[in-house]
Amino acid sequence: MAVPRKYRNIGDFHRYYSGEKQAPVLTLVIGGNHEASNYFSELYYGGWLAPNIYYLGAANVLRYGPFRIAGLSGIFKAVDYYKPHHERLPYDRDELRSVFHVRECDVSRLLQFGDYEKLFADRPSFFESAKIDNLDSAPAEQVMNLLRPDFWFSGHMHIKYTAEVDYEDNENEYKFKHLAVTDELASQLPASMFKAASGKKKRAPMPSPPNITNTGTNFLALDKPGPKREFLELLDLISCCSIGVASTKPYMQKTADGKFALHYDEEWLSILRSSSDGLVAEDAPFDIAAKKSDAAGTDTVLHNLHWIQNNVTAKGLLKIPDNFERHAPTYNRDDKVNADEQPCEFPNSQTEAFCQMLQMRNKFSADDDVVEGDDDVVFG
């Protein structure tokens, strides 16, 4: 974990991993910058971190009944955006942080739900604006402006605030309803944040595809967990998709207790399969990595969508299996733990099974010569 030494202590996740405890409700997780990145890397395409706790991977789109849920993990750093996922254990000092930085190859897949080619015709100006704007995650903002979801939930802001994003007249105007910030906290935040809060900052999004007609997004950011912090919000959501229509029919299967089951998304699977050959999971020159991450053409995606429908949907494989397995040893409080020693890499059976289902090569599988940690690597 990329945290100062004073924060290196065992929390309670190991209780859920070992099976001692279980999440009482289905819990979906995206990655940030203070988690065990090595464990997340085992589940690049997503998977169960523990029973009833599902990690969405680097990027993902899932179905829960009539709801379509997309997720993007990590934080944005322009210097690493166009690099491949090259980090492997043991991490050096730079890789310990770059491993959780958002990558263009993952964002481009989310943008394939819209007009990818038109978007990246403006890539130079988009990338330059991203380097200047240190407050926003420019890739996440592009995804939101293009896909225009009903709701957007964001972490890493360290304060709670809500906003209504209005896309009328092709303008992206942030109308902040609430932003309570103490003077002490305000002094630590960039001035651009308060310009955005006052509505002075506007950015014109690209036109959305014809099938996306939503004109507004409800934006919610939460504080980090802790005493007297607003880190939890309960919302009653209504799906924009009608129950019973053909587009939601494959995803309406329920569990034994009458709740919807978590499903893969047909379109997302077709995009993954179409772009799998171009995925770079090793260190590579910038120009090679950027070229390989280009999105697949529309014909390729449609071809793979038919393949998914015939080989996944028709075989009843859209429902995400309950296939969690423990690969790493469970925590024992009697064991002596060296906070400066890195763990070994564990190949995850969920990732292997997912790639086999889609008949893709698992580029994140552990090699035979993986080094099982380096006692000389110290994090500071």
Side-chain angles (χ1 to χ4, degrees):
M1 293 177 62
V3 294
R5 182 179 297 275
K6 65 180 180 179
Y7 294 118
R8 293 182 201 157
N9 52 59
I10 298 295
D12 62 355
F13 173 73
H14 69 91
R15 298 177 184 271
Y16 297 89
Y17 181 79
S18 68
E20 177 185 345
K21 300 180 68 174
Q22 180 164 327
V25 296
L26 174 63
T27 304
L28 302 184
V29 178
I30 59 171
N33 61 331
H34 295 309
E35 291 88 22
S37 299
N38 60 302
Y39 190 22
F40 283 173
S41 295
E42 296 175 20
L43 296 167
Y44 171 75
Y45 296 106
W48 299 105
L49 297 172
N52 224 25
I53 302 177
Y54 194 89
Y55 170 55
L56 271 71
N60 209 334
V61 178
L62 300 177
R63 296 290 190 125
Y64 183 75
F67 294 94
R68 199 176 204 182
I69 304 169
L72 177 65
S73 291
I75 64 172
F76 175 69
K77 290 291 183 181
V79 67
D80 290 321
Y81 185 57
Y82 289 108
K83 293 180 180 178
H85 287 284
H86 62 86
E87 298 87 356
R88 300 297 289 268
L89 287 168
Y91 302 138
D92 62 27
R93 292 177 183 271
D94 293 332
E95 292 170 340
L96 183 64
R97 290 165 176 80
S98 68
V99 67
F100 54 72
H101 291 164
V102 173
R103 298 305 210 273
E104 184 267 348
C105 60
D106 303 316
V107 174
S108 69
R109 288 167 166 169
L110 288 172
L111 293 172
Q112 280 190 261
F113 280 89
D115 190 347
Y116 176 89
E117 293 183 358
K118 183 173 178 58
L119 172 71
F120 279 87
D122 296 328
R123 177 186 289 183
S125 60
F126 156 59
F127 189 50
E128 288 303 314
S129 68
K131 290 193 292 185
I132 296 172
D133 188 354
N134 293 319
L135 169 63
D136 297 332
S137 169
E141 187 175 358
Q142 287 283 352
V143 172
M144 182 176 69
N145 289 344
L146 191 72
L147 302 185
R148 301 184 178 185
D150 282 340
F151 294 89
W152 184 284
F153 306 114
S154 179
H156 196 63
M157 299 304 292
H158 293 190
I159 55 173
K160 176 192 173 181
Y161 67 90
T162 61
E164 294 175 351
V165 185
D166 185 6
Y167 305 108
E168 292 285 3
D169 299 323
N170 203 32
E171 288 187 353
N172 179 14
E173 181 176 358
Y174 288 77
K175 300 177 180 178
F176 286 77
K177 298 183 293 184
H178 175 64
L179 183 54
V181 184
T182 64
D183 292 340
E184 180 182 1
L185 181 57
S187 65
Q188 304 174 42
L189 296 173
S192 59
M193 186 165 197
F194 302 99
K195 292 179 182 177
S198 65
K200 295 180 181 178
K201 180 180 178 182
K202 297 182 180 179
R203 219 177 256 170
M206 293 188 55
S208 276
N211 60 326
I212 297 179
T213 59
N214 194 28
T215 59
T217 294
N218 293 288
F219 183 95
L220 171 64
L222 293 174
D223 201 347
K224 57 184 178 181
K228 299 182 180 181
R229 292 182 178 272
E230 296 181 283
F231 63 90
L232 186 64
E233 183 97 354
L234 298 180
L235 298 175
D236 188 7
L237 305 183
I238 299 176
S239 172
C240 61
C241 299
S242 301
I243 296 178
V245 299
S247 61
T248 61
K249 187 176 180 179
Y251 312 106
M252 302 306 292
Q253 182 178 351
K254 294 189 176 182
T255 60
D257 57 0
K259 297 179 180 178
F260 289 120
L262 202 59
H263 285 72
Y264 300 118
D265 181 274
E266 278 186 344
E267 186 178 358
W268 180 252
L269 294 183
S270 68
I271 290 172
L272 288 181
R273 198 166 187 274
S274 300
S275 59
S276 63
D277 289 342
L279 178 65
V280 179
E282 58 188 3
D283 208 356
F286 172 85
D287 55 342
I288 295 177
K291 183 177 180 180
K292 284 190 175 184
S293 68
D294 284 345
T298 302
D299 291 343
T300 303
V301 174
L302 289 176
H303 169 78
N304 279 293
L305 179 59
H306 293 314
W307 189 95
I308 294 296
Q309 291 169 340
N310 292 328
N311 294 278
V312 178
T313 307
K315 296 179 180 180
L317 299 177
L318 278 181
K319 180 180 177 294
I320 297 178
D322 294 323
N323 58 348
F324 168 75
E325 291 185 35
R326 285 182 289 274
H327 298 285
T330 56
Y331 171 70
N332 186 334
R333 66 179 69 255
D334 296 326
D335 292 341
K336 293 183 179 180
V337 178
N338 182 352
D340 294 326
E341 184 177 330
Q342 298 202 36
C344 60
E345 185 170 341
F346 295 95
N348 199 294
S349 59
Q350 295 180 71
T351 301
E352 191 63 38
F354 180 82
C355 290
Q356 288 180 2
M357 180 183 73
L358 297 187
Q359 296 184 15
M360 304 186 311
R361 177 189 166 200
N362 179 10
K363 297 184 179 180
F364 293 89
S365 62
D367 296 327
D368 294 336
D369 58 350
V370 169
V371 179
E372 293 192 358
D374 186 343
D375 292 343
D376 296 327
V377 176
V378 178
F379 311 140

